[in-house]
Amino acid sequence: MAVLTREEIDRFWQDGVLTVPDAVSPGTLAAFKRDFDAWVEESRAQTGPYGECIDGRPRFDLQPGHTPEQPALRRVQAPTEVSRAYYEAMAESRMAQMVADLIGPDVKLHHTKINSKLPGAATEVKWHQDFCFTPHSNSDVITALLMVDDVTEENGPLEVAPGSHRGDLFPIWHDGVFTGAIDDDTAARMQKDAVRCLGPAGSVCLMHTRLAHGSAPNRSLDPRTLFICVYSAGDAMPLTPNPVPTSHQGLFVAGEDKGVIRSEPYEVLRPQYPKTSFFAQQSASERAAG
Ligand SMILES: O=C(O)CCC(=O)C(=O)O
């Protein structure tokens, strides 16, 4: 049974983005916060990226400037591997059903992560389109950003350029450097008309993989934690190695594997595989500019 209305589905395809409340239960939200708070506590004793994912890279990434007094845990890679609450929300929630309403009936997981902006941390996300990091044989790929905290004007909300998923793919390589970011002029143009995706904790922002987006640092005293699940249609095949590899990649959360590959024509520069996380890659744009 559909969770999204016809009007919501049409709005998603028109704008490339749709925010819906109550994607998970209050109990799940409480469990998310408990697990995340425990990771933040653990991070206080660390001085650099730590832990291990299935490819040997660190699971937990820290913003430069992190201290025990002011922790700046900015990324948890593949949290579904170390938390039951995050796993169940990825596999069985209304969020997964909503994605099936948009690109189903067959939907599988690509990867999961938590992006966190703790108060006082300078974490920002430069403008980009996810498809340039994770090209697939077709673009029925959705990034679902679940709000673990209330997302407000002040705490570094996701900002998007509505309709941009129907336009060009903008390079994230510049002068031979993989910056992971759209060029400054284009980004400034997008920023001018950007729409902020706000909502109470438990809302999900469903974003088309080609939609251009970014987000500013948290200027408030409240945290901004997003649990991000990237799903694709069952017949969309990843064309490059998963930058956030997980043992859960390929799990069908709706429908089944029909053994079909569907492709659409497009061209994109092959992304660079990250050494730690996406945030470190994007800081290359500062080095390139300087
Ligand atoms: O954490 C954010 O604000 C942005 C997330 C993002 O850019 C992404 O998931 O691609």
Side-chain angles (χ1 to χ4, degrees), residues 208-285:
H208 190 278
T209 186
R210 294 180 64 123
L211 193 79
H213 61 283
S215 67
N218 182 352
R219 302 190 199 290
S220 78
L221 297 175
D222 302 313
R224 195 231 60 175
T225 312
L226 294 179
F227 172 41
I228 301 172
C229 296
V230 177
Y231 301 98
S232 78
D235 57 11
M237 291 298 136
L239 299 177
T240 52
N242 190 338
V244 191
T246 171
S247 55
H248 298 143
Q249 179 174 359
L251 177 81
F252 275 75
V253 300
E256 60 183 354
D257 186 358
K258 302 212 168 77
V260 175
I261 300 175
R262 179 170 49 95
S263 62
E264 62 190 41
Y266 69 95
E267 198 175 288
V268 72
L269 289 168
R270 217 168 36 236
Q272 186 180 67
Y273 195 73
K275 284 202 187 72
T276 50
S277 82
F278 157 87
F279 292 106
Q281 285 183 305
Q282 281 208 330
S283 68
S285 53

Side-chain angles (χ1 to χ4, degrees), residues 2-6 8-9 18 20 97-99 101-102 206:
V3 172
L4 297 178
T5 63
R6 184 71 249 168
E8 287 173 320
I9 293 171
L18 176 73
V20 189
Q97 292 174 296
M98 290 175 202
V99 174
D101 288 347
L102 296 170
L206 302 162

Side-chain angles (χ1 to χ4, degrees), residues 75 111 113 115-117 124-126 128-130 133 143 145 156-159 207 213-216 224 226 228 230 278-279:
R75 164 63 68 83
H111 72 267
K113 59 207 170 198
N115 278 5
S116 152
K117 294 180 181 177
E124 68 174 313
V125 175
K126 299 193 171 94
H128 66 280
Q129 292 156 299
D130 289 353
F133 286 90
T143 302
L145 305 104
L158 183 77
E159 301 182 46
M207 184 173 74
H213 61 283
S215 67
R224 195 231 60 175
L226 294 179
I228 301 172
V230 177
F278 157 87
F279 292 106

